[in-house]
Amino acid sequence: MTVATTLLLPSVIPESSVLAVADTYPEKELDKAAAMQQKLMVQSVEAVNNGVKLVLSDNYKAHIKLKTEDVAKISILKQGEEEKQTAAITETNWDTPSFEMEETEDTISISTDEITVKINKQPFGIKFLDSEGNIINQDNMDYGAGYEDGKPYVFKDTTNDEAFYGFGEQAGDFNRRGDSMGMWNNDAYNYNKDTKYLYTTIPFFIGLKDEKAYGIFFDNSNRSYYEMASESDDYYYFYANDGQLSYYFAYGPDIQDVLTRYSQLTGTMQRPPKWAIGLHQSKWGYETADEIKGIVEKYREKDIPLDGVHLDIDHMDGYRNFTWGEDFTEDPAAFNQWLEDKGVSSVAVSDPGIKVDEGYYMYDEGTANDYWATNPDGSPYIGEVWPGDSVFPDFAEENVRDWWAESHRTIFDAGVDGIWNDMNEPAVFDTPTKTQPLDVKYGDMLHSEFHNMFAHYEAMSSDKAFDILKPNKRPFVLTRDMYAGSQRYSTLWTGDNESSWESMRLAIPMNNNVSLSGVPFVGNDIGGFAKRPTPELFARWIEFGVFIPFSRIHADNGSTVAFDPDAKDIPGQEPWQYGEEVEEISKKYIEQRYKLMPYLYNAFIEASENGTPVQQPLVYQFQEDENTYDINQQFMFGSSLLVAPVVEEGATSRDVYLPEGETWVDYWTGEEHEGGQTINREADLSTLPLYVKKGDIIPHRNVQKHTGEKPLENLILDTYLEDKSSYTFIEDDGETEDYKNGEFNETTFNLKRKGKHVEFTSKQKVSNYDSSLETYTLKLNNENMPRKVQAASTKYKAVDSPEEVKQNENTYYYDEENETTYVNIPVNETKKVKIFFHSDKKTEKAKGKAENNH
Ligand code: MIG
């Protein structure tokens, strides 16, 4: 513990919790020398319908299963022990692939069309090869795999050019090669780049070597460790304090395929309600409903879009979960109705610690039914959290989860729309480790095994609350902690970050790795939680914050004001707290998110179907470009927009790397750049460098006060055409599960360049949703002046402004200065719309080049 850390803490946190800031349970290091000593030998082999079973020396056994053509599961267990799987796994419909087995004196090989798993017998060791016989990954034979003092471990060979990604929520660089990581869900208030244990455990990573990617998921919930070439350039290893040695191996070679497999294995996020992907405003320390109403009113007055407000612990009665405090509001239902009328949804915090307090219904019901986690002697475990002495629901038990789900009634009945699960490490104040003793019991598990899954099981229950109490409404559950697979139930925010440039810089690679760990819906407190940002930092953070999947401004109640240390009243962290210029910048960027809503929402639909990240590290799309491997401060927002936030104090420009093989268009100026180079972009305080991948269509719409304010009547197809572009647009009601019964529309737009003209078609594949769409505005960027626009015999009329285009069907306008054509196409246009140009852009470009060469 350091004095500096203590000073940063809000004074209201009990002194005892301060002790624990950097202090979790002592690490149980692996004895490498002991691991090296022991070698498992294959003693016999049995072919089974999904792979092979081996008898190993020292009373061990192994089962190598083929789960799909490119996924294998490896487990090594004690003889007689039964194989378990954790709650991460959801995969149900994989079929065992056909495979061949071949045995020699020294090896056993099992091969599908995609991979070969080659097992060495003396000693036991595994190699994964692709269908051409290239080694993708292999055990390190000096150390091998097995158990040391009860700790399951696996050593793998690596070479200097191998990169590692994933590992859930980690502070530090994007590429984790060279890092020493741990997973033990931890209340990491005010974490920094050196904080080893953050809030979330996702024991999944991706290795990328020779442009080929594989994934490993270590299905073990105990505290685990990852030494990724941190001790040697030649090997990496991972191990856990306890539990079984079993892991899944998935071969790509594309990162996208690895992530798809992982998402099938552990599930995908649900389609979110649209309001949840709008802007959220929060602060710990909005003490009354009136205060929050004032904030909402200000948003509306200033015409800054807003979709959600968060009710932190001050909404409760003495921190009793699922209650309303009279000081907060005497009429919670009226308050929520007021919000609803303003188009704002509310998200209420939920803490798992239940106050020991006879007469408090949660305590009484839970006690009467033995719902609490217990000490070894069977008595309820009591720990101190916000309400004082508290007991904790045993979320490992289904009946407890059902009861907890049902208990959301007091919150949901009053009109709350979403749930925010906090403190679910589970955090307690009065132990040096900040969490419960390891021998507290959850179901038939000890806390040591359950710890990293506590939030996962809790989220299961919160998700169920929606099923029971808000049937047909899409759930929104926000959580501070996760285990692998929690994306099925919840959205992640990355806990108590800090209002500092370093903390903002950490957020980008952190989100990128969370995204590669199966969790697309992730965000960080915009502006930083602990302390307060300077106006400049807030401006830069909101510019970037509108391009992260979950976009919420949130701040600590007890922080000092960094830009005015003498301030008496600590203001909230709203966009208008930092002067006019920053307010304007905030508004511009928040509006930008709302303009991109059709694009963003569709990116989320894809995420919910395939696990495709919404925030994508560059390597996700560009793994054949090695320059992307170590990029920390850039990402793709959806598949078409490249975001390069300014993350250095005082900077007025930044370098941007544009991946190879594409042309990139500056979103603000239209300037085109070839990929495969680093450019320097001017970026005054109001500019976030943003680029579009040429060839893509980005659907936009008009700005709204909130996502449900105005029906979508006009869809703008912002197009950066090369030869061909296409986009499939899905529309539904944005809030119910009706789309599951087919109530949605699916339309594909196609654009083709044919010499001197461009052809546009739209085809509706599904049309079961009652849409308000009337027109498309086809916006063709960086094109010559059109000569005419025509659909069969209908001639489109040239008009004088984009506004006129917007108002009149079958019209077009050419903005000469920006070289942009706008065409208003009625949605029921069934004919090809042809845009004829005076000259053909491509020949012209070629000519231009030829001239430049003279
Ligand atoms: O001990 O509910 O990370 O977002 O505002 C602090 C009060 C408890 C921690 C969360 C933070 C929240 C705060 N909570």
Side-chain angles (χ1 to χ4, degrees):
M1 179 194 115
T2 64
V3 176
T5 316
T6 314
L7 289 176
L8 298 176
L9 283 168
S11 55
V12 284
I13 291 191
E15 196 55 35
S16 56
S17 76
V18 171
L19 252 183
V21 165
D23 183 20
T24 61
Y25 284 99
E27 301 191 327
K28 270 203 197 170
E29 259 182 52
L30 185 79
D31 183 342
K32 270 165 61 181
M36 196 179 232
Q37 289 296 309
Q38 54 188 28
K39 296 267 182 293
L40 296 173
M41 303 290 168
V42 176
Q43 294 176 336
S44 70
V45 182
E46 180 197 347
V48 290
N49 66 349
N50 58 7
V52 288
K53 284 186 169 172
L54 310 172
V55 174
L56 302 178
S57 56
D58 298 338
N59 224 10
Y60 285 102
K61 61 178 180 181
H63 191 167
I64 288 93
K65 274 182 219 166
L66 291 163
K67 305 291 289 184
T68 71
E69 260 138 45
D70 48 14
V71 177
K73 184 183 182 189
I74 314 297
S75 5
I76 303 173
L77 302 174
K78 271 264 169 229
Q79 283 294 357
E81 198 183 347
E82 244 188 76
E83 190 179 322
K84 294 200 273 186
Q85 64 178 35
T86 70
I89 308 296
T90 182
E91 165 272 313
T92 46
N93 49 11
W94 281 349
D95 291 327
T96 304
S98 57
F99 64 92
E100 278 166 22
M101 181 177 153
E102 200 189 305
E103 191 177 352
T104 67
E105 204 175 312
D106 302 325
T107 63
I108 309 145
S109 293
I110 42 179
S111 307
T112 68
D113 290 347
E114 304 286 332
I115 55 168
T116 295
V117 186
K118 193 167 181 182
I119 302 151
N120 196 65
K121 292 183 187 168
Q122 313 288 343
F124 170 76
I126 288 182
K127 275 188 179 113
F128 299 98
L129 303 104
D130 68 11
S131 56
E132 283 156 18
N134 301 305
I135 296 167
I136 302 304
N137 176 263
Q138 63 183 356
D139 287 359
N140 175 279
M141 296 307 280
D142 289 340
Y143 292 101
Y147 292 83
E148 184 275 309
D149 193 22
K151 297 190 284 291
Y153 64 85
V154 180
F155 282 74
K156 297 282 190 184
D157 281 347
T158 182
T159 49
N160 267 323
D161 55 350
E162 185 172 19
F164 300 111
Y165 308 112
F167 305 96
E169 189 184 62
Q170 298 290 337
D173 287 341
F174 172 51
N175 179 355
R176 308 304 303 180
R177 187 178 179 85
D179 271 302
S180 184
M181 285 168 282
M183 294 187 196
W184 178 252
N185 294 0
N186 181 33
D187 182 356
Y189 179 80
N190 201 14
Y191 57 86
N192 60 42
K193 66 176 178 16
D194 300 318
T195 309
K196 184 162 177 181
Y197 295 96
L198 295 187
Y199 304 87
T200 279
T201 290
I202 306 180
F204 171 67
F205 63 89
I206 293 171
L208 177 64
K209 198 169 92 176
D210 302 329
E211 297 178 20
K212 295 183 187 121
Y214 64 87
I216 287 182
F217 174 55
F218 182 29
D219 190 21
N220 186 314
S221 67
N222 291 270
R223 176 153 149 180
S224 56
Y225 309 82
Y226 305 81
E227 298 296 343
M228 304 313 286
S230 49
E231 296 171 10
S232 154
D233 286 342
D234 304 331
Y235 63 82
Y236 68 83
Y237 61 106
F238 53 91
Y239 63 101
N241 276 2
D242 206 345
Q244 296 191 336
L245 201 177
S246 70
Y247 69 92
Y248 294 79
F249 174 90
Y251 177 53
D254 292 349
I255 293 177
Q256 305 188 5
D257 297 332
V258 174
L259 191 51
T260 302
R261 283 302 190 205
Y262 175 75
S263 302
Q264 289 166 352
L265 185 64
T266 64
T268 53
M269 67 175 286
Q270 300 175 47
R271 190 176 291 197
K274 217 178 245 179
W275 64 264
I277 63 172
L279 181 79
H280 299 237
Q281 175 71 54
S282 180
K283 180 189 134 179
W284 176 18
Y286 289 147
E287 280 176 2
T288 64
D290 283 342
E291 200 179 339
I292 294 176
K293 279 158 96 174
I295 299 290
V296 170
E297 256 161 1
K298 247 193 162 149
Y299 264 98
R300 292 296 175 249
E301 246 165 59
K302 293 176 177 289
D303 208 14
I304 302 175
L306 178 74
D307 265 278
V309 289
H310 288 232
L311 318 182
D312 208 327
I313 46 177
D314 295 307
H315 81 273
M316 300 177 194
D317 172 18
Y319 305 130
R320 288 170 188 83
N321 208 46
F322 299 133
T323 67
W324 292 95
E326 274 182 23
D327 297 344
F328 181 78
T329 175
E330 282 178 5
D331 194 343
F335 168 55
N336 280 291
Q337 187 58 51
W338 185 94
L339 290 174
E340 196 184 318
D341 294 344
K342 297 273 178 199
V344 173
S345 300
S346 60
V347 181
V349 80
S350 171
D351 284 357
I354 292 297
K355 189 178 177 67
V356 173
D357 177 21
E358 271 173 42
Y360 164 33
Y361 76 103
M362 289 298 290
Y363 178 73
D364 291 346
E365 285 176 25
T367 303
N369 294 294
D370 290 331
Y371 285 161
W372 312 127
T374 53
N375 293 308
D377 68 1
S379 62
Y381 164 77
I382 296 175
E384 194 194 327
V385 267
W386 288 106
D389 279 351
S390 303
V391 285
F392 296 81
D394 181 355
F395 287 123
E397 298 288 357
E398 193 175 2
N399 61 336
V400 178
R401 293 198 298 276
D402 287 350
W403 166 70
W404 187 262
E406 187 62 47
S407 306
H408 285 67
R409 197 178 284 281
T410 47
I411 295 297
F412 285 174
D413 275 358
V416 163
D417 303 283
I419 275 290
W420 167 20
N421 289 343
D422 189 16
M423 304 291 283
N424 45 5
E425 290 67 37
V428 293
F429 294 153
D430 53 348
T431 63
T433 60
K434 288 189 303 174
T435 189
Q436 305 170 353
L438 297 178
D439 57 2
V440 168
K441 270 200 98 178
Y442 285 91
D444 55 14
M445 285 176 262
L446 291 178
H447 174 224
S448 52
E449 182 183 355
F450 192 66
H451 178 83
N452 288 333
M453 299 192 292
F454 181 95
H456 180 88
Y457 280 90
E458 181 196 31
M460 230 184 253
S461 168
S462 311
D463 181 58
K464 188 150 194 188
F466 285 83
D467 287 353
I468 311 171
L469 303 169
K470 290 178 186 283
N472 206 32
K473 280 256 165 154
R474 295 183 206 166
F476 179 70
V477 177
L478 180 65
T479 183
R480 187 161 76 173
D481 293 52
M482 277 193 171
Y483 179 62
S486 301
Q487 69 271 9
R488 305 197 292 270
Y489 315 111
S490 55
T491 300
L492 180 73
W493 105 96
T494 62
D496 298 341
N497 61 354
E498 181 190 75
S499 301
S500 66
W501 293 89
E502 179 190 292
S503 195
M504 182 166 83
R505 284 192 291 268
L506 287 180
I508 301 170
M510 185 181 292
N511 294 352
N512 282 344
N513 275 324
V514 169
S515 296
L516 290 186
S517 307
V519 182
F521 206 179
V522 57
N524 332 89
D525 288 351
I526 295 173
F529 180 74
K531 306 200 224 167
R532 282 293 191 275
T534 60
E536 184 195 0
L537 177 58
F538 186 83
R540 291 305 194 187
W541 206 319
I542 190 85
E543 286 171 7
F544 141 65
V546 303
F547 291 103
I548 56 180
F550 173 59
S551 203
R552 180 183 74 159
I553 303 170
H554 183 49
D556 194 344
N557 70 345
S559 313
T560 49
V561 182
F563 62 95
D564 180 6
D566 299 325
K568 295 232 165 45
D569 296 320
I570 298 167
Q573 203 152 283
E574 301 87 23
W576 50 83
Q577 299 289 1
Y578 306 90
E580 253 172 56
E581 188 191 4
V582 175
E583 181 180 327
E584 239 171 69
I585 292 170
S586 304
K587 183 170 171 172
K588 168 180 160 189
Y589 281 89
I590 295 166
E591 287 184 346
Q592 187 60 50
R593 184 178 177 95
Y594 280 74
K595 287 180 191 167
L596 288 167
M597 207 42 87
Y599 169 76
L600 179 59
Y601 184 59
N602 272 261
F604 269 103
I605 291 177
E606 218 187 300
S608 63
E609 284 168 3
N610 307 313
T612 309
V614 173
Q615 172 169 339
Q616 305 173 352
L618 298 190
V619 72
Y620 178 76
Q621 278 190 59
F622 303 102
Q623 75 187 57
E624 61 297 329
D625 180 352
E626 277 181 28
N627 294 321
T628 63
Y629 291 10
D630 293 310
I631 290 185
N632 288 313
Q633 302 301 335
Q634 287 181 217
F635 61 92
M636 299 294 294
F637 177 65
S639 58
S640 304
L641 286 171
L642 185 152
V643 184
V646 175
V647 293
E648 302 288 340
E649 183 165 21
T652 53
S653 71
R654 69 157 283 174
D655 283 350
V656 181
Y657 180 71
L658 300 171
E660 214 167 72
E662 303 284 347
T663 300
W664 298 91
V665 189
D666 189 308
Y667 184 83
W668 308 113
T669 66
E671 197 185 332
E672 298 194 2
H673 306 270
E674 280 315 307
Q677 58 166 333
T678 300
I679 57 166
N680 189 267
R681 174 68 161 93
E682 291 293 314
D684 65 14
L685 189 59
S686 69
T687 305
L688 168 114
L690 186 61
Y691 297 85
V692 187
K693 199 167 80 196
K694 193 157 187 205
D696 288 3
I697 301 174
I698 301 172
H700 286 61
R701 63 160 298 159
N702 57 343
V703 175
Q704 308 177 79
K705 287 187 172 32
H706 58 92
T707 52
E709 191 204 5
K710 298 172 187 156
L712 177 67
E713 292 168 348
N714 172 249
L715 185 70
I716 302 159
L717 300 171
D718 194 18
T719 303
Y720 300 80
L721 183 63
E722 223 148 24
D723 296 328
K724 264 193 218 164
S725 292
S726 85
Y727 186 90
T728 296
F729 177 67
I730 293 175
E731 205 191 358
D732 63 17
D733 65 24
E735 58 173 338
T736 74
E737 308 280 6
D738 292 346
Y739 71 92
K740 290 181 179 164
N741 308 320
E743 283 187 40
F744 63 93
N745 294 344
E746 188 179 319
T747 310
T748 300
F749 308 109
N750 277 300
L751 278 133
K752 256 188 219 136
R753 191 185 297 283
K754 294 196 161 170
K756 282 191 189 177
H757 79 270
V758 163
E759 270 177 22
F760 168 90
T761 53
S762 73
K763 230 187 220 113
Q764 202 158 45
K765 213 172 108 196
V766 185
S767 68
N768 295 323
Y769 168 68
D770 187 13
S771 168
S772 307
L773 259 179
E774 289 164 6
T775 56
Y776 303 124
T777 299
L778 175 62
K779 189 176 165 226
L780 284 173
N781 296 282
N782 293 5
E783 296 286 350
N784 293 323
M785 184 189 284
R787 190 159 55 82
K788 62 171 182 177
V789 176
Q790 200 166 337
S793 59
T794 315
K795 285 196 173 151
Y796 280 49
K797 191 176 154 227
V799 292
D800 296 326
S801 69
E803 290 70 46
E804 265 183 79
V805 172
K806 216 174 152 188
Q807 282 151 24
N808 300 287
E809 290 186 1
N810 309 104
T811 60
Y812 70 98
Y813 167 73
Y814 185 63
D815 173 349
E816 221 176 319
E817 200 189 315
N818 297 305
E819 300 190 310
T820 303
T821 299
Y822 297 82
V823 187
N824 178 325
I825 304 168
V827 291
N828 54 12
E829 178 70 80
T830 51
K831 300 285 183 312
K832 279 182 190 156
V833 181
K834 295 185 183 177
I835 300 105
F836 296 88
F837 297 102
H838 284 292
S839 70
D840 141 15
K841 190 90 190 170
K842 274 191 115 183
T843 357
E844 200 192 62
K845 229 170 104 186
K847 259 199 256 157
K849 268 197 189 149
E851 273 160 26
N852 285 340
N853 287 341
H854 283 164

